Amino acid sequence: MFATTKFRLRQSIGIVANQNTIEFFRANTRTSVSLKMKPDGVIDFLRNFNGKNSLDYICQLLPKTPPDQIEKIALFLRDNFVLIEHDLDYTTEYISYYYRLLNLLEDFFHRTSDVIGALEKISKSQVAIIGLGAVGSHISLYLARAGVKKFILVDPDKVDVSNIHRQAYSESNIGELKTTCLERKIKEISPHAIIKKIEYPLNKDFFLSQEFPTDVDLIINCADEPSVDYTSSIVSEYAMSHTIPHIVGGGYNLHLTLIGQTIIPYETACYKCFDSKLTEINAIEFLGIRRLDRENRKLGSFSPLSGIAASLASLDAIKVIVGANNFLLQTNKRIEFNSKTKTFNAIDVPRNPACPWCATNRHLKK
Amino acid sequence: MAAAPPFVPGVVSPVLIKRLRLHGINIWKLILAYCSTNKLPFTIKGPLCKKSGFFMLNETYKLKESIDVFVSETESPDKVLIIFHKMTTRDRIEIIAGKGVAEFLALLDGKTTTVDILSKLGNFDNDSAASLIEFLSSQRLIVNFTERPPENQRYKRQIAYFDDLILDRPGHSTQEQLKSKHVTIFGCGAVGGSIAEILGRAGVGEFLLIDYKRVAEGNLVCDTYSTRKDIGNYKTDVLAAFLNTIDSNINISTINEQLLPHTDLSSWIPKNTSLVINTCDEPYIGHTSLKIGRHLHQQEIPFYVAGGFDAHLMSSGELIFPPFTPCIDCAQKTFSVALENWKPTYSSIEDSDENISFETTNNYIAGGSGGFVALSAFSANLASLRILEFISGDSSINFNTVRYEYLINSGFTTEFEMQKQENCCVCNDKI
């Protein structure tokens, strides 16, 4: 720790003084951390951490307090997201376009230089979105708004009138390719975006027949035809072999309330881990039960439900892109939204130590 | 049927049906054949069927697409447990029935008439078939394909969802109802704009949009509707134009004025508005909601206080519609009582004498409230789920006033329920 280090008290921190403890309430993340200390004068003390005063200077201002104690408190509060180390100023462009996002990212990092690094990662990352329906179309635009500039958009379909009630298209887009419409919409937000469009269905030879770039930072699979299991197994197999983080989008035709899972290859439960866990659960649940067979079903759909899946996938996507993997919410879990109680039910799906995909291949693939 | 039918067209009594069956006559086929040749309407008394005209057995039904059917053995050898699982709403209905019922369900394809299905199955009891169909219809597990109106291409998937969700009426009627709704939105920021988009896509016919601000650069990261070319224009105008690209038939009016303590709301809010949504969080959502909520209470207009504002970026907001819910004063008092002993101090470093270097023209506060379109859209979707449930007239709606909040870094949801307060003069004269 250098004496020149500057810290800034996060503005989103609410300070509650109790008798012998101080509670720091992180309003953005709605969590608290408490510290045993006398509450008198704490707020004034913390106001010295304004992003300009160096630690050294603060020690000089408070000659009665031992410097090592000030440093100890400062480090504790930094590690607990109460103070942020202000080691690099934000540029005017970042502030004018992304100040909300800057503040959001500050909750994932301890230093402003890391926050700037995160924004740079976002603007340099390349994200593939496969399936541009109710979930994928919104995710594409959300990520563009967050500053993602390189996209691979995959969908063979044209916009149909029945899409508009839940997908991010307009009446004038009817009959146009979904990829073309989204490219235009992304460029209205981010004029310099680079978009590769693939109008080819996701099937077994997709990755072989298409010139699919290998320098992809994240693949989000929102294709649910013929089924999400079919498309996800293909996407996951490719992503695992190239160690690309990927997200299964959720909210699709036969499973509207499912929140998709985020997979960091060889670190979190992979598609196969999920698959075997679910087979196991279904085997118990469906013991002695048969399902009536029916084909070509088109279920009802409702935009608030696909919208919730899209927004949560986008939040995890940003966390993956900036490397805030500790804060991912959809790894090692199968999450389902209950539209009646407005709550999320999660089943833990840990990595399977005997997984044919991710248990043994780890070193081989890396 | 060569012989004249042994009954008088008009009313068929259960006694007659029983007597005919004793003679081994397939009465349904008999009646239907007779009535259809003679183009006669008829009514059947008893619990089987309350409808007049052609009896349900001559109609075609379809097991709904969204229903998964599971069949499981029971202890009794001739009975099975049938589980209907609504995949959209995740509701579950279970019945114990004879083995033939599962086969019967599998044959409800929307093409074959029930009477043909029954003759294919052979030894199926007609009476129980009729009551089974009545039960399945009342639970909206099957749809009558004979009566079905032409499919609404634009909203067919949503209509199918309403069919599962709202049992009061067929999905297409719910869809028509949405068209006739007028929604007023205070605040066209990230959450207000996103709610407007969701409701507009869903088919709400009319909007009043209120906001005095213009689109700024920093809005693009949180909004779902603004683009670069909109910077500098009124948010209301930009949002209105956006909604009309989704549906050119949406009627929109706008007010570009700031809501102030002395604003005369009766000149702003039309009396026939179906719902008012408040997303104005400046200076504070509590203050603007109190002003709007008290006015709406007088007018008996439903009110939705949206979430997603600073420090509650992924919260649902709540419906305020007294006397079904607490009034706005009671709702807010629940918070102040719950948080009585918890008073956080937020230290704003920007008013310290030595200002930090990156002050700009927008309202950026270093380390202040975060935000990103996925978070505001999450709040807006959660709010819209409740709003659509309410304005689509679902009689099974639960009026518990709960604010849900999703925790951005842990994935937990917190719930906070608002209660009517004992001494509230506003609520108590209505309860």
Side-chain angles (χ1 to χ4, degrees):
Chain A
M1 183 57 40
F2 299 107
T4 53
T5 310
K6 296 166 194 160
F7 293 98
R8 165 160 52 80
L9 175 62
R10 294 162 187 262
Q11 210 270 338
S12 57
I13 298 291
I15 300 166
V16 188
N18 301 314
Q19 269 195 333
N20 290 314
T21 57
I22 301 280
E23 180 192 348
F24 297 95
F25 176 66
R26 296 170 284 227
N28 280 347
T29 56
R30 311 208 56 76
T31 50
S32 283
V33 60
S34 286
L35 193 58
K36 249 193 189 167
M37 64 196 285
K38 289 206 185 91
D40 311 334
V42 161
I43 292 174
D44 285 339
F45 165 69
L46 290 171
R47 283 170 71 97
N48 290 315
F49 296 100
N50 62 2
K52 291 209 103 183
N53 294 344
S54 66
L55 204 55
D56 204 22
Y57 181 71
I58 293 171
C59 292
Q60 282 172 35
L61 288 177
L62 305 163
K64 286 182 193 160
T65 321
D68 62 325
Q69 204 177 329
I70 294 177
E71 187 186 315
K72 215 172 137 190
I73 294 173
L75 288 178
F76 174 84
L77 294 178
R78 181 195 68 180
D79 294 344
N80 282 284
F81 296 93
V82 174
L83 299 179
I84 187 164
E85 193 175 321
H86 193 100
D87 57 348
L88 202 57
D89 284 348
Y90 299 138
T91 65
T92 336
E93 202 228 328
Y94 281 159
I95 288 172
S96 52
Y97 277 95
Y98 299 111
Y99 72 96
R100 286 275 182 173
L101 190 61
L102 276 176
N103 286 340
L104 178 78
L105 293 171
E106 284 199 355
D107 292 322
F108 304 144
F109 298 103
H110 298 300
R111 291 178 189 81
T112 56
S113 57
D114 292 338
V115 173
I116 291 171
L119 271 178
E120 282 167 359
K121 276 185 189 163
I122 293 174
S123 77
K124 284 180 190 155
S125 66
Q126 170 154 249
V127 181
I129 297 156
I130 301 174
L132 306 173
V135 179
S137 63
H138 290 292
I139 292 180
S140 312
L141 297 176
Y142 293 172
L143 296 185
R145 288 183 184 277
V148 173
K149 294 197 166 56
K150 281 157 115 185
F151 289 93
I152 302 160
L153 301 178
V154 182
D155 201 312
D157 287 347
K158 290 178 176 164
V159 177
D160 181 78
V161 64
S162 65
N163 299 149
I164 296 176
H165 84 89
R166 67 192 187 287
Q167 307 185 9
Y169 305 103
S170 357
E171 278 178 346
S172 64
N173 297 147
I174 294 169
E176 251 186 297
L177 281 166
K178 291 185 174 181
T179 48
T180 316
C181 296
L182 273 181
E183 176 185 46
R184 199 166 48 232
K185 287 178 199 289
I186 289 172
K187 288 199 166 171
E188 283 172 3
I189 300 160
S190 179
H192 305 296
I194 302 162
I195 294 152
K196 181 177 167 67
K197 297 173 288 175
I198 301 178
E199 290 91 19
Y200 193 84
L202 191 94
N203 53 28
K204 293 265 184 240
D205 59 29
F206 177 85
F207 288 102
L208 292 172
S209 65
Q210 301 302 307
E211 284 166 26
F212 197 83
T214 46
D215 58 338
V216 181
D217 299 285
L218 172 67
I219 304 177
I220 305 175
N221 178 36
C222 310
D224 58 4
E225 280 183 28
S227 80
V228 83
D229 285 334
Y230 174 82
T231 58
S232 292
S233 68
I234 298 168
V235 171
S236 283
E237 193 170 4
Y238 177 83
M240 292 301 282
S241 67
H242 293 82
T243 326
I244 302 168
H246 51 290
I247 294 176
V248 178
Y252 42 83
N253 183 17
L254 294 177
H255 216 137
L256 199 57
T257 49
L258 187 77
I259 307 302
Q261 59 261 25
T262 304
I263 297 164
I264 308 293
Y266 312 104
E267 286 176 34
T268 70
C270 77
Y271 172 81
K272 256 297 184 265
C273 301
F274 274 93
D275 193 43
S276 32
K277 176 78 180 181
L278 293 176
T279 312
E280 186 187 307
I281 294 172
N282 289 345
I284 299 165
E285 204 173 312
F286 295 127
L287 195 68
I289 295 181
R290 67 187 167 90
R291 187 201 295 249
L292 226 54
D293 282 337
R294 290 144 76 213
E295 283 170 356
N296 298 324
R297 299 160 71 184
K298 276 285 178 199
L299 263 59
S301 63
F302 196 40
S303 73
L305 297 177
S306 43
I308 285 171
S311 55
L312 291 179
S314 305
L315 179 57
D316 252 15
I318 288 296
K319 290 175 179 177
V320 169
I321 295 168
V322 303
N325 289 5
N326 294 346
F327 297 107
L328 290 172
L329 297 180
Q330 277 111 250
T331 51
N332 302 327
K333 265 187 220 150
R334 183 178 167 94
I335 307 172
E336 184 145 357
F337 179 65
N338 184 325
S339 59
K340 285 246 163 66
T341 61
K342 319 282 189 285
T343 49
F344 295 88
N345 305 322
I347 304 171
D348 284 333
V349 183
R351 282 187 74 189
N352 175 6
C355 178
W357 279 20
C358 73
T360 50
N361 297 5
R362 178 169 193 155
H363 302 293
L364 212 140
K365 297 287 180 191
K366 276 195 166 177
Chain B
M1 222 24 77
F7 65 91
V8 183
V11 178
V12 185
S13 74
V15 181
L16 177 64
I17 293 170
K18 216 170 193 178
R19 202 179 310 149
L20 288 167
R21 189 168 294 140
L22 286 177
H23 289 84
I25 297 168
N26 185 332
I27 47 156
W28 303 120
K29 276 201 167 169
L30 184 74
I31 296 168
L32 287 168
Y34 179 82
C35 290
S36 59
T37 9
N38 296 289
K39 296 196 168 59
L40 288 170
F42 64 90
T43 313
I44 294 181
K45 276 191 173 175
L48 298 184
C49 183
K50 287 164 198 124
K51 57 197 278 185
S52 46
F54 273 89
F55 184 52
M56 52 171 72
L57 290 184
N58 197 35
E59 298 186 332
T60 56
Y61 290 88
K62 190 167 189 222
L63 190 57
K64 276 170 50 177
E65 302 270 18
S66 55
I67 310 293
D68 252 348
V69 181
F70 299 98
V71 183
S72 146
E73 302 299 321
T74 62
E75 284 171 7
S76 153
D78 54 342
K79 297 276 183 195
V80 286
L81 171 69
I82 301 180
I83 304 160
F84 298 94
H85 183 229
K86 293 189 183 180
M87 297 180 74
T88 41
T89 57
R90 319 308 278 179
D91 280 339
R92 207 181 163 101
I93 295 165
E94 295 183 1
I95 57 169
I96 294 197
K99 282 191 162 162
V101 173
E103 285 174 77
F104 176 73
L105 288 169
L107 292 168
L108 289 176
D109 58 359
K111 289 177 204 139
T112 325
T113 60
T114 313
V115 79
D116 289 340
I117 296 176
L118 292 181
S119 59
K120 197 182 280 179
L121 285 176
N123 58 350
F124 205 97
D125 175 355
N126 289 321
D127 288 6
S128 24
S131 54
L132 177 66
I133 286 185
E134 196 172 284
F135 169 77
L136 297 172
S137 306
S138 71
Q139 298 295 318
R140 297 202 177 276
L141 299 169
I142 58 173
V143 274
N144 186 325
F145 250 51
T146 327
E147 284 178 346
R148 192 173 60 118
E151 199 167 40
N152 177 332
Q153 287 304 316
R154 179 160 187 153
Y155 298 109
K156 59 185 180 187
R157 299 286 297 277
Q158 182 168 282
I159 288 171
Y161 185 82
F162 285 146
D163 257 330
D164 290 341
L165 182 75
I166 300 168
L167 302 182
D168 302 68
R169 67 191 92 80
H172 63 89
S173 309
T174 299
Q175 188 62 52
E176 278 158 30
Q177 219 167 294
L178 282 185
K179 181 102 196 121
S180 67
K181 298 293 173 185
H182 177 287
V183 172
T184 301
I185 303 181
F186 279 87
C188 301
V191 177
S194 183
I195 291 177
E197 176 182 351
I198 297 162
L199 300 184
R201 287 191 188 279
V204 169
E206 247 185 302
F207 289 91
L208 165 62
L209 307 174
I210 304 169
D211 201 314
Y212 70 101
K213 286 195 173 175
R214 292 167 188 269
V215 175
E217 292 150 337
N219 296 141
L220 268 62
V221 80
C222 290
D223 277 352
T224 57
Y225 67 94
S226 58
T227 63
R228 292 231 171 190
K229 68 175 187 328
D230 302 320
I231 293 170
N233 293 329
Y234 277 119
K235 291 186 176 185
T236 52
D237 295 341
V238 175
L239 180 57
F242 177 73
L243 292 178
N244 278 138
T245 64
I246 292 168
D247 185 344
S248 53
N249 290 318
I250 300 177
N251 290 318
I252 307 163
S253 44
T254 56
I255 296 177
N256 299 328
E257 280 178 60
Q258 187 175 11
L259 175 69
L260 294 167
H262 61 263
T263 302
D264 172 20
L265 287 174
S266 56
S267 68
W268 281 15
I269 302 171
K271 285 200 160 47
N272 65 343
T273 194
S274 323
L275 177 77
V276 174
I277 301 166
N278 183 31
T279 70
C280 282
D281 60 353
E282 286 174 17
Y284 171 57
I285 187 90
H287 298 164
T288 56
S289 293
L290 209 54
K291 177 172 170 65
I292 300 168
R294 284 176 179 167
H295 170 79
L296 296 177
H297 189 146
Q298 295 288 319
Q299 307 289 319
E300 297 184 334
I301 296 172
F303 185 33
Y304 195 88
V305 179
F309 41 87
D310 288 356
H312 297 270
L313 294 170
M314 296 181 88
S315 65
S316 64
E318 59 277 340
L319 179 72
I320 301 289
F321 190 32
F324 304 101
T325 75
C327 71
I328 190 69
D329 282 86
C330 285
Q332 297 204 352
K333 202 163 175 216
T334 319
F335 279 104
S336 51
V337 169
L339 299 174
E340 203 166 21
N341 297 316
W342 193 80
K343 300 246 180 292
T345 309
Y346 291 91
S347 114
S348 45
I349 41 175
E350 87 269 44
D351 61 10
S352 63
D353 45 9
E354 237 191 317
N355 226 324
I356 30 175
S357 57
F358 30 76
E359 194 195 14
T360 57
T361 49
N362 62 34
N363 45 0
Y364 169 65
I365 297 165
S369 286
F372 151 50
V373 59
L375 312 187
S376 38
F378 178 88
S379 278
N381 278 297
L382 213 48
S384 301
L385 196 60
R386 180 74 169 156
I387 290 168
L388 286 167
E389 204 174 82
F390 177 69
I391 62 174
S392 60
D394 184 353
S395 63
S396 70
I397 192 169
N398 174 341
F399 278 108
N400 289 352
T401 309
V402 182
R403 179 181 290 181
Y404 300 91
E405 177 140 15
Y406 188 76
L407 302 182
I408 182 169
N409 279 353
S410 67
F412 293 115
T413 316
T414 60
E415 293 176 25
F416 186 85
E417 184 165 0
M418 285 155 228
Q419 310 279 2
K420 290 179 180 174
Q421 303 292 308
E422 251 177 48
N423 301 320
C424 175
C425 53
V426 191
C427 265
N428 286 336
D429 62 28
K430 281 240 161 190
I431 296 169

